[in-house]
Amino acid sequence: MPKGISQKVVFISSYPPRKCGIATFTSDLIRSVGAASKGGFEPLVVAMRADDELKYAEPVKFEVRQNVKKDYICAADYINFSHVDLVSVQHEFGLFGGEAGQYLSLLLNRLKAPIITTLHTVLDEPNEAYRKSMVEVCEASMRVITMNERGVGMLRDIYGVSDEKIDLIAHGIPDLPFVDSNYYKHKFGLEGRRTILTFGLLNKNKGIEYMLEAMREIVPAEPLVMYIVLGMTHPAVLKQDGESYRFSLQQMVKDFGLEDHVLFHNRFVDDEELHNFLCAADVYVTPYLSREQLTSGTLSFAVGTGKAVVSTPYWAAEELLANGRGKLVAFGDCTQMAEAIVGILGDDGLYYSLRRRAYDYGRSRTWPKIGQVYWKLFRARRLPVQVAAKAPLSPAETLSSIEVPEPSLVHLKKLTDETGLFQHAKFTIPNRRDGYCTDDNARAAIAMANYYAQYREPEALQLLDRYLSFVMYSQQPDGSIRNFMHSDRTWQKDEPASDAFGRVLWAFGTVMAKPPSPSYLSVIKDCFDRSVGRVLKQHIRGMAYSILGMADYLRQFPGASDIKRQMELAADELVGKYGRQRHPGWQWFEHVLTYDNAVLPHALFDAGMTLENDRYLDVARQSSDFLLANTFTGEHFSFVGCNGWYPRGRTRANFDQQPIEAAGTVLMLRAAHDATGDKKLLTLQRKAFDWFLGANDLHIPLYDFRTKGCCDALMAGGVNINQGAESILSFIQGLLSIVESYSILDRGEEVGNVPFEQGDLVEPVTPGTTRIEELPADRTTDEKQVEEFA
């Protein structure tokens, strides 16, 4: 690599301060590669998080919550946008979410940079889930690294990985001197004693109980012996079982009378302290119970520091201790363990022979040398084995392969002040003249409640509280809702009709279903209960929004009979309107398709699922099919334009198409999928979202990657460059729904892999160029609808 050019490598792994062996391994690897590169290496870490609140420092750039599927997709986007040269994956099944760690494939299959995967575990008899997960990881990787000779054969014979794709690179070990253990014993007050050490995170597979049994036979032969068990309980074990295993071991020590011969150090030690313990040990012991362990960092460290080692014959031990570098004893055989240790402590010739052979063998595996091997692999301009080419996407899948942007609150924050969210913008500049409306602040509360439920970002919670404050202030003592507020914080008099009431109930319901903390529930429930009796006093869309809010209310309180009754009354109103307006070739609730059409079938899907009412679901299916037939071309979505809408029996307006239509369709299709289980609907859902990204009549994105805002409309000649509240909220809601949908797909199946055929719809619309009349693009959709069709 030319001087001055840095190799940018992303590491996907656990990382300190997380306490696990792979986190330590990755930290050591980055340090050693950095030294080998002599300044030509720039590491970035995507840290795998368990259920913790750890604070990460450099070089961690991104965090993935282990069991949150959408985080893996977002991590892939982040890596792809970071212009990296290479991705290094530290693979252990338990690090990643999903069955057998299969969530990792969601990330790897989206990456553009070449992938080199280090395998810390390879199973010889995997069940189908584990085998499939491993095969997917290997197929996504340009190279795979195993740390054990046995692993090469297993990868080839069990998982079908070619020899040319496999690299054998040993586990790195500290570069420590060959020392007399007696020199270090004074650091721990152990002068004059023979010392035995086991270290690592404690769990039942460590077999410590068998070593304690062996100590009963060792102590009579070596009265000054001390067995040190170094390491805290594994965090995953601690969370599930607490300290029950450690307490059982401590009870064994008391029962056996070994209090003067066994010492537990219940903590995670740093490298320097670990090195001191290793140097003070005479014998190192790993009495592990499972043969299927291909690598062991603790055993590698012990061999590298020249310890006399006694171990059970798990795979890593068989290789490391071969050729007289240690003693192997049968699993669970306390007598063999005791005899081996007593034999070593009583025979100086054997003791020093084992030490010297182990130390000499470890010289080829020190971290400086392992760092050089990895650096040579990382900096190769052309790796000899390429990842198997993926089959090209079919035309039906092409639009669904567009990567989604990472969710951003930048533009939303720009439109928000201490009062709430401004309605409109001139380009990206908030238009204070038009003030605020409850409609948009309720939408914003819905978006931020969903955002915070997925990402737990403090900024989202702060915004949620601000929007909720506005919405709660809009609620009058009788439960009615004010909508328009001037910039001076005074309410507009003689307000026009709006759907603000329904959106407020939807916002309250969303917060109840996904409360940031339990404290929100009582406050928001009171607000909801104050207004719910007015549901039937609204227009049809207001009732639909209210149904969505009531469905969320019932997710939190499923036994709330009064809410069920109100939902049933509102759903019956929608079904009644559908029955009165339905004609041959026109399966809709009104005589015209106007704005936010998708919310009507969406509401009935939710009502049908919540109340287990097939009649609601039937109308939802019929009306959604009709809507899709008039908005989906078979390749992309072409929504009904607001400049004339689509009256029954007349010409359909094709422009201006508004973001609320795309977002509503995305949400409707997710609800339709939840009601029917049909995964084709998720493919179609993604196509609806891709309207924002350019999969539309003009092939122009409405989402602005630079400002993080969304244009207000798709017009006949381009886009309306104003980026107001309704537009960015529509985009955020659609994006959150898409990301959430990944979590319900089957293993290894991505959105876009189930093509939605044109024949699944009735007579898809062919977009034309008809324009009926223009209205100002910065008018709210419900204002326009009220003016023309109220």
Side-chain angles (χ1 to χ4, degrees), residues 347-367:
D347 185 341
D348 284 349
L350 175 61
Y351 173 68
Y352 284 107
S353 173
L354 292 173
R355 289 198 62 196
R356 174 54 65 185
R357 288 172 179 165
Y359 188 77
D360 289 346
Y361 181 72
R363 292 305 80 204
S364 64
R365 297 165 172 248
T366 61
W367 272 119

Side-chain angles (χ1 to χ4, degrees), residues 179-194:
V179 298
D180 183 350
S181 60
N182 291 316
Y183 177 80
Y184 285 83
K185 289 179 182 179
H186 77 279
K187 293 178 180 288
F188 307 105
L190 296 172
E191 300 95 327
R193 303 197 69 164
R194 307 308 299 270

Side-chain angles (χ1 to χ4, degrees), residues 418-429:
E418 66 277 4
T419 300
L421 182 65
F422 288 108
Q423 292 186 74
H424 301 305
K426 294 294 185 181
F427 182 42
T428 63
I429 303 167

Side-chain angles (χ1 to χ4, degrees), residues 688-705:
F689 177 77
D690 287 345
W691 180 89
F692 288 104
L693 305 180
N696 51 51
D697 288 344
L698 302 184
H699 308 293
I700 300 175
L702 281 87
Y703 179 66
D704 189 327
F705 284 84

Side-chain angles (χ1 to χ4, degrees), residues 214-229:
M215 284 294 292
R216 302 173 72 181
E217 301 179 41
I218 296 171
V219 169
E222 294 286 345
L224 295 179
V225 72
M226 175 64 77
Y227 177 41
I228 302 168
V229 182

Side-chain angles (χ1 to χ4, degrees), residues 692-752:
F692 288 104
L693 305 180
N696 51 51
D697 288 344
L698 302 184
H699 308 293
I700 300 175
L702 281 87
Y703 179 66
D704 189 327
F705 284 84
R706 185 175 62 84
T707 67
K708 312 301 183 191
C710 180
C711 296
D712 279 351
L714 185 70
M715 306 168 71
V719 297
N720 181 333
I721 65 169
N722 294 335
Q723 298 178 14
E726 180 181 289
S727 303
I728 184 57
L729 291 170
S730 295
F731 177 81
I732 290 174
Q733 274 290 77
L735 177 57
L736 292 174
S737 182
I738 287 295
V739 172
E740 188 177 44
S741 289
Y742 282 109
S743 67
I744 60 173
L745 291 174
D746 289 337
R747 199 161 87 85
E749 187 175 85
E750 301 178 25
V751 173

